[in-house]
Amino acid sequence: MSYQQKFSVWRGDSDGGDFVEYDVEVNEGEVVLDVVHRLQATEAPDLAVRWNCKAGKCGSCSAEINGRPRLMCMTRMSTLPQDTTVSITPMRTFPVIRDLVTDVSFNYEKAREVRAFVPPADLAPGEYRMQQVDVERSQEFRKCIECFLCQNTCHVVRDHEENKLAFSGPRFLMRVAELDMHPLDAAEDQEGLNRKAAAQDEHGLGYCNITKCCTEVCPEHIKITDNALIPLKERVVDLKFDPMFIRRRKRKSKEKEQVSEEG
Amino acid sequence: MSEIETHSYDVIVIGAGGSGLRAAIAAREAGKKTAIISKSLFGKAHTVMAEGGCAAAMGNVNPNDNWMVHFRDTMRGGKFLNNWRMAELHAKEAPDRVWELETYGALFDRTPEGKISQRNFGGHTYPRLAHVGDRTGLEMIRTLQQKIVSLQQDDFARTGDYEANIKVYAECTVTDLIKDGERIAGALAYWRESGRHLLLEAPAIVMATGGVGKSYKVTSNSWEYTGDGHALALRAGASLINMEFLQFHPTGMVWPPSVKGILVTESVRGDGGVLTNSEGKRFMFDYIPDVFKDQYATTEEEADRWYTDADNNKRPPELLPRDEVARAINSEVQAGRGSPHGGVFLDVSSRMPAETIIKRLPSMHHQFKELADVDITKEPMEVGPTCHYVMGGIEVDPDTGQASVPGLFAAGECSGGMHGSNRLGGNSLSDLLVFGKRAGDGAAAYVDSLSARPVLDEVEVKRAQERSVAPFGDGSQDGAENPYTLHQELQQTMNDLVGIIRKEEEVRQAITKLGELKERAKNLVVEGHRQFNPGWHLALDLRNMLLVSECVANAAVLRQESRGGHTRDDYTTMDAEWRHKLLVCTADGDDGVQIVEQEQIPMRSDLMELFELDELKKYFTDAELPGGATA
Ligand SMILES: Cc1cc2nc3c(=O)[nH]c(=O)nc-3n(C[C@H](O)[C@H](O)[C@H](O)COP(=O)(O)OP(=O)(O)OC[C@H]3O[C@@H](n4cnc5c(N)ncnc54)[C@H](O)[C@@H]3O)c2cc1C
Ligand code: SF4
Ligand code: SF4
Ligand code: FES
């Protein structure tokens, strides 16, 4: 049940590169990553690729297959047409390091800018009580395997390098939503940090025009747009009418003024 | 050689899995400037793959649970070969370590009272595994990763530099530990991206590099599991124990061939899944060993009642410790009662409604659908044993994680002792937390105790640098070897000859073959340049795999009994005279090993008293028993 399949794999580095054609044997049940491994073991021992689990759990093997952003380890060869050449290219939004490996440090920088969970000061470890229904919303977002396919796909940054500074991308806006929906996050009470406002002011939520392209490519089938981004946008709107919040914002800016006067 | 990038730290943690991250958090919280080094990207370490859960006797689901029950289960699972002090610390501290994760933001599944939910697992008396569906490892690694980020945010607020006190070196591989005399002084690594060397100088190093499964053909482990930490420690003068004990998980996927070995979580059985052979028989009832006769159900009716009334019924034999189940499956297949692709059937479809399956086992549902065209809500899975976990590892002091080399610490899968001859499911994630923290604290305390920092020996650094680029060759080698070919031969050898059932003559063949492979590895030549070159990376990893495989095979020949993850066809029973002996591997030259027997430290009497005498008699010699014929 084996057959020969034509592949066109992008090879090169930050200075540029080109497609290289390969004719590879494919066996029953194989996924694209198997083919890449066969290439490494035969014709192209130095073909660079990232992977770890080969089971769709670690989010390392992201690439574009026939132009579609996907995990190589979860793309079965049987789902691709046999009569045309299969193309494998690195994710387009991130700079290429070599062959199929890209520099995804953008994502780690953005991750670091989302203020972490703030534990409530009045609860000791072991005293946390949360209902399943209340944790489920955030749990959906925590299924994220950080493959960065959504980040790669979102049009706000895909062809707009200039937006990368202001926009954290769907993965990290979703992280803000996750913390905002965490039943015990004390960021607001203890640090005066309103996560909704942060999404808007610091992470560029306004750039998102809810096209859902991110949701379409998510291998974990997380409803990023419907369950994270849209609710976050709605909360931001509510915020504008929330007197408590307006007061607090004013107080904060006053505090800032005072500090600068003193300093 | 050109100028080398150098950085100084107080503590270097090699490995960014659960144990490494927990160690780094501890070291950083103790005020130490800490580096974390990882072969892959941050958040991708093997821990991410763990599915079922993290064992901790919190007693949230069954209030009868406590550390003593967990301790007993762990010792039984390991057939009493465990380092009892580690098993004790683990059982006592696991709940605190899990609760602590909630303060870092973890969101475990909940009980109706809002506490952390706990599930059943093989060998655990009560529901004990904290979990998030079947993606517990992901939750754990992400939580620890995010805790590290939060520490970096604190540092940023104070100093304006996220990396002032804790920095992650991702996609960076350590190839050698460098010493100053007897003490650790640092490590040499290379960036995978550029291939350039990097020197990290530090008085204390915590090894947290995980396991060795990539030496086997059928394995649940990823490419990272090449035994680097085991080999680096060995070459630096540390000892390894229990290397003959490898856990073959009973349920790996068997079809299609390209996914053979990928794990099917034990939660499938914990939640009610049953194993059947080609005759439709639930065969596990035929495989309950004598030592476990009192704890497992003997009829299907009783076994099924246990799921709803665990206090008044005995548990199903599908939930025996892993070594028992793996051997049983192996025997069924050998006897010609296997499934079409050489496994047995694991069925949940006839046991619970489709919605329940999708809710409780979402990633298994997804995995089988995507990779095998099997809908587990409608049909059984086909499963068979897969190389999963190494019980053996770096010998450490239980309380501090310190190895025999001053300045070297170890935690997690690359350390040895805690699990004895067989690890219970769920006991690894908790092990990572308990001993990760202890090793981080241990390393910090060691650094505080030093009067002067060790100094890197430049000659050693240079030698290590040269060794790591040797595979590029100088064009003079004839009969050059390809790393991929050698790796495949190694995997086949270990799989066939030092696998789940071992025979002396086969293991000896393996040892001979390993010797040949080691010779051939001297002629390894890789193509291309140093920039992200997987052929080169594999060539370097191979050196470690060969050394570790040699430890496994040589220890397997010596241990003339069957126990846990070591089953001998020619010595089929457990022998109490072997229980109190450990096989200790040390380096012999640069790439050889020697093994000596070492006596276990006798178990503390108060821990001994936690067991019935009748049970102890099954494992201990008369002389070791309380009131026994001592001298
Ligand atoms: C599929 C699967 C499911 C599992 N499910 C469970 C479960 O449900 N419950 C449970 O308790 N256990 C489970 N286990 C076991 C458990 O996941 C592992 O034992 C555990 O995660 C190991 O963690 P660790 O911290 O020791 O190492 P790992 O998480 O493996 O991390 C090792 C780290 O070391 C780094 N490293 C290695 N070598 C080098 C080097 N030379 N230089 C630099 N860095 C290096 C790697 O890059 C990596 O970051 C499972 C294992 C598998 C494979
Ligand atoms: S929904 Fe928003 S975040 Fe997602 S792709 Fe569209 S614009 Fe980007
Ligand atoms: S949200 Fe989905 S697509 Fe985006 S990084 Fe996470 S898993 Fe990948
Ligand atoms: S290799 Fe882990 S997701 Fe593909």
Side-chain angles (χ1 to χ4, degrees):
Chain A
M1 266 173 285
S2 307
Y3 59 94
Q4 292 293 123
Q5 170 81 51
K6 284 200 176 11
F7 285 86
S8 173
V9 183
W10 194 89
R11 303 219 44 192
D13 54 28
S14 52
D15 297 333
D18 210 344
F19 285 94
V20 179
E21 307 282 324
Y22 299 99
D23 207 5
V24 196
E25 181 188 309
V26 176
N27 303 313
E28 193 182 358
E30 285 185 340
V31 293
V32 171
L33 188 60
D34 289 313
V35 171
V36 171
H37 285 160
R38 181 160 304 125
L39 274 173
Q40 286 183 328
T42 53
E43 287 172 75
D46 60 346
L47 170 60
V49 58
R50 263 196 199 108
W51 69 286
N52 269 29
C53 67
K54 204 173 173 291
K57 292 188 196 319
C58 71
S60 302
C61 64
S62 308
E64 303 193 0
I65 298 159
N66 288 343
R68 274 188 61 96
R70 317 194 51 164
L71 296 177
M72 286 185 270
C73 73
M74 294 305 276
T75 306
R76 292 189 70 182
M77 287 306 302
S78 59
T79 61
L80 303 172
Q82 282 184 32
D83 47 359
T84 50
T85 302
V86 173
S87 73
I88 315 180
T89 48
M91 285 192 282
R92 193 167 90 199
T93 304
F94 311 117
V96 168
I97 292 176
R98 198 171 151 205
D99 303 339
L100 301 175
V101 176
T102 55
D103 176 356
V104 291
S105 52
F106 164 74
N107 299 289
Y108 289 95
E109 282 155 23
K110 292 297 178 187
R112 209 147 63 179
E113 288 164 9
V114 180
R115 179 65 183 136
F117 172 73
V118 177
D122 54 343
L123 286 183
E127 289 178 358
Y128 287 38
R129 296 289 177 273
M130 294 176 265
Q131 288 304 311
Q132 184 61 35
V133 285
D134 297 329
V135 299
E136 241 152 45
R137 288 181 305 174
S138 297
Q139 277 186 332
E140 181 192 6
F141 309 145
R142 291 181 73 82
K143 287 194 328 202
C144 170
I145 56 175
E146 300 206 328
C147 64
F148 309 130
L149 285 171
C150 58
Q151 302 283 89
N152 171 52
T153 306
C154 176
H155 65 93
V156 176
V157 283
R158 188 163 169 97
D159 291 308
H160 297 277
E161 194 60 32
E162 70 279 9
N163 288 343
K164 282 187 178 169
L165 198 63
F167 184 65
S168 295
R171 178 355 176 184
F172 297 103
L173 287 166
M174 180 176 88
R175 166 78 170 138
V176 179
E178 172 213 316
L179 288 162
D180 194 42
M181 297 178 193
H182 190 302
L184 293 176
D185 176 52
E188 177 126 36
D189 294 345
Q190 284 164 217
E191 296 186 358
L193 170 71
N194 184 286
R195 297 211 181 259
K196 300 168 251 299
Q200 189 74 5
D201 301 343
E202 290 163 34
H203 304 292
L205 180 61
Y207 284 82
C208 164
N209 55 352
I210 56 176
T211 55
K212 302 198 186 184
C213 313
C214 51
T215 305
E216 271 165 38
V217 297
C218 177
E220 286 292 308
H221 306 297
I222 303 172
K223 297 209 168 58
I224 309 169
T225 322
D226 285 351
N227 292 352
L229 305 180
I230 294 177
L232 204 52
K233 278 179 176 276
E234 287 167 356
R235 289 170 172 216
V236 169
V237 174
D238 293 346
L239 204 60
K240 293 203 179 125
F241 301 104
D242 178 353
M244 273 292 287
F245 182 71
I246 296 169
R247 225 179 303 146
R248 183 174 290 167
R249 241 192 187 177
K250 277 197 187 137
R251 195 173 62 221
K252 269 200 120 181
S253 56
K254 240 192 217 144
E255 277 168 19
K256 257 189 206 153
E257 270 166 39
Q258 274 173 356
V259 171
S260 55
E261 273 165 29
E262 282 162 21
Chain B
M1 275 191 199
S2 56
E3 195 59 25
I4 176 170
E5 175 186 353
T6 306
H7 304 278
S8 285
Y9 287 92
D10 297 322
V11 176
I12 296 172
V13 178
I14 307 178
S19 60
L21 297 184
R22 190 63 191 83
I25 292 168
R28 163 66 184 75
E29 286 184 334
K32 295 292 165 273
K33 191 175 171 197
T34 305
I36 301 168
I37 310 173
S38 157
K39 288 211 271 193
S40 44
L41 290 173
F42 193 27
K44 310 292 182 197
H46 214 80
T47 300
V48 82
M49 293 165 73
E51 294 163 354
C54 175
M58 297 180 283
N60 291 350
V61 172
N62 190 323
N64 294 325
D65 204 10
N66 58 45
W67 78 265
M68 290 170 281
V69 187
H70 193 182
F71 171 78
R72 282 198 294 262
D73 288 343
T74 301
M75 294 300 294
R76 282 178 191 133
K79 305 273 163 34
F80 285 80
L81 188 110
N82 319 52
N83 179 306
W84 48 264
R85 174 65 179 159
M86 289 176 97
E88 178 196 11
L89 290 171
H90 170 257
K92 283 183 173 163
E93 295 175 5
D96 285 338
R97 295 288 84 78
V98 171
W99 285 322
E100 196 168 63
L101 292 181
E102 290 199 303
T103 71
Y104 301 170
L107 285 175
F108 291 103
D109 287 348
R110 319 305 297 179
T111 64
E113 307 84 69
K115 297 180 182 173
I116 297 173
S117 173
Q118 301 188 265
R119 68 156 45 114
N120 284 304
F121 236 55
H124 293 281
T125 302
Y126 298 116
R128 190 176 283 147
L129 272 64
H131 60 272
V132 186
D134 50 8
R135 56 159 190 90
T136 315
L138 172 65
E139 183 67 16
M140 181 137 158
I141 202 146
R142 202 65 81 230
T143 300
L144 293 169
Q145 181 183 351
Q146 288 165 349
K147 174 65 181 177
I148 302 245
V149 164
S150 98
L151 291 170
Q152 291 183 323
Q153 290 173 342
D154 296 347
D155 288 340
F156 181 76
R158 269 188 310 113
T159 68
D161 178 7
Y162 284 110
E163 293 173 340
N165 289 311
I166 187 161
K167 179 171 160 108
V168 181
Y169 291 81
E171 299 200 309
C172 183
T173 306
V174 174
T175 56
D176 274 281
L177 302 182
I178 314 282
K179 293 201 297 185
D180 174 3
E182 285 308 301
R183 303 184 300 168
I184 287 293
L188 181 75
Y190 66 87
W191 289 108
R192 298 172 76 79
E193 178 178 334
S194 62
R196 277 202 294 272
H197 283 128
L198 163 80
L199 191 57
L200 292 145
E201 186 250 346
I205 290 185
V206 179
M207 280 289 171
T209 52
V212 309
K214 265 300 164 202
S215 303
Y216 282 76
K217 192 172 162 203
V218 180
T219 176
S220 64
N221 294 174
S222 80
W223 66 266
E224 291 194 299
Y225 268 24
T226 52
D228 292 7
H230 290 77
L232 291 173
L234 201 63
R235 286 196 205 103
S239 46
L240 308 183
I241 55 170
N242 297 348
M243 291 304 291
E244 63 277 35
F245 299 111
L246 276 173
Q247 180 167 81
F248 291 83
H249 194 291
T251 59
M253 292 177 82
V254 295
W255 194 91
S258 65
V259 300
K260 194 164 178 168
I262 292 183
L263 193 75
V264 180
T265 173
E266 186 167 322
S267 329
V268 175
R269 282 169 287 135
D271 286 352
V274 293
L275 290 165
T276 55
N277 61 21
S278 60
E279 295 162 3
K281 179 169 179 199
R282 258 177 92 171
F283 57 84
M284 280 311 299
F285 290 97
D286 301 341
Y287 293 92
I288 306 174
D290 278 344
V291 285
F292 289 119
K293 273 273 185 295
D294 302 336
Q295 289 136 32
Y296 288 83
T298 47
T299 64
E300 293 194 21
E301 293 70 32
E302 175 168 23
D304 286 348
R305 281 199 304 272
W306 175 85
Y307 287 104
T308 46
D309 179 9
D311 286 341
N312 297 308
N313 292 286
K314 286 184 274 182
R315 54 188 24 235
E318 275 89 1
L319 292 179
L320 276 159
R322 289 180 176 167
D323 52 325
E324 310 289 353
V325 184
R327 272 194 300 272
I329 293 175
N330 200 60
S331 307
E332 286 296 305
V333 175
Q334 296 293 317
R337 294 188 291 270
S339 66
H341 300 101
V344 295
F345 297 106
L346 172 60
D347 187 31
V348 278
S349 65
S350 64
R351 309 275 300 170
M352 49 181 122
E355 310 83 78
T356 315
I357 296 173
I358 295 171
K359 175 101 196 58
R360 288 166 84 163
L361 303 164
S363 44
M364 284 303 109
H365 180 246
H366 184 70
Q367 180 175 315
F368 271 86
K369 220 179 168 118
E370 298 282 322
L371 296 176
D373 277 332
V374 167
D375 182 350
I376 67 168
T377 66
K378 299 207 175 74
E379 51 192 319
M381 300 161 246
E382 274 187 73
V383 296
T386 178
C387 179
H388 184 57
Y389 185 91
V390 60
M391 270 68 75
I394 303 164
E395 187 174 28
V396 292
D397 169 58
D399 290 72
T400 61
Q402 176 144 9
S404 50
V405 177
L408 185 63
F409 296 76
E413 190 167 342
C414 71
S415 67
M418 157 70 205
H419 305 285
S421 68
N422 174 52
R423 172 181 73 92
L424 292 186
N427 265 3
S428 171
L429 292 185
S430 40
D431 164 2
L432 307 182
L433 296 173
V434 168
F435 295 103
K437 176 174 186 328
R438 283 189 166 271
D441 288 340
Y446 169 83
V447 173
D448 287 336
S449 75
L450 292 178
S451 49
R453 268 179 95 91
V455 185
L456 286 167
D457 177 343
E458 281 183 26
V459 181
E460 257 201 75
V461 173
K462 192 145 191 294
R463 207 179 313 138
Q465 271 183 287
E466 283 164 4
R467 195 160 42 213
S468 77
V469 292
F472 286 105
D474 51 11
S476 69
Q477 285 98 332
D478 14 279
E481 297 281 351
N482 167 340
Y484 294 97
T485 314
L486 281 193
H487 186 210
Q488 277 162 12
E489 286 186 38
L490 168 67
Q491 289 183 318
Q492 195 73 51
T493 304
M494 292 305 283
N495 223 77
D496 294 350
L497 304 175
V498 202
I500 184 164
I501 311 282
R502 297 152 181 189
K503 288 189 183 73
E504 172 154 356
E505 77 243 35
E506 288 184 355
V507 182
R508 288 207 185 278
Q509 277 173 32
I511 293 172
T512 311
K513 177 80 187 180
L514 288 172
E516 286 166 26
L517 289 174
K518 214 159 68 179
E519 276 309 304
R520 285 168 58 194
K522 290 183 182 151
N523 289 328
L524 272 179
V525 175
V526 296
E527 285 177 37
H529 42 82
R530 283 166 67 174
Q531 221 192 356
F532 219 111
N533 184 339
W536 176 42
H537 302 163
L538 179 59
L540 295 177
D541 293 346
L542 252 178
R543 180 168 174 238
N544 297 332
M545 285 189 264
L546 283 165
L547 183 61
V548 169
S549 297
E550 224 173 309
C551 293
V552 174
N554 283 292
V557 162
L558 289 176
R559 184 171 285 273
Q560 296 180 333
E561 65 158 351
S562 291
R563 179 186 299 273
H566 171 68
T567 304
R568 287 281 297 255
D569 203 37
D570 40 3
Y571 298 90
T572 54
T573 53
M574 194 156 69
D575 178 354
E577 290 297 348
W578 270 105
R579 191 210 62 82
H580 53 88
K581 282 185 225 164
L582 298 177
L583 295 174
V584 182
C585 309
T586 46
D588 185 6
D590 236 8
D591 279 306
V593 283
Q594 59 189 21
I595 302 189
V596 293
E597 284 179 15
Q598 177 179 299
E599 280 295 310
Q600 283 263 41
I601 299 169
M603 201 193 301
R604 230 176 42 224
S605 58
D606 58 314
L607 295 176
M608 232 17 190
E609 282 160 17
L610 294 175
F611 298 91
E612 299 286 334
L613 188 60
D614 278 346
E615 178 168 23
L616 293 177
K617 279 183 182 159
K618 296 174 189 167
Y619 298 96
F620 288 75
T621 61
D622 287 345
E624 294 173 292
L625 291 171
T630 34

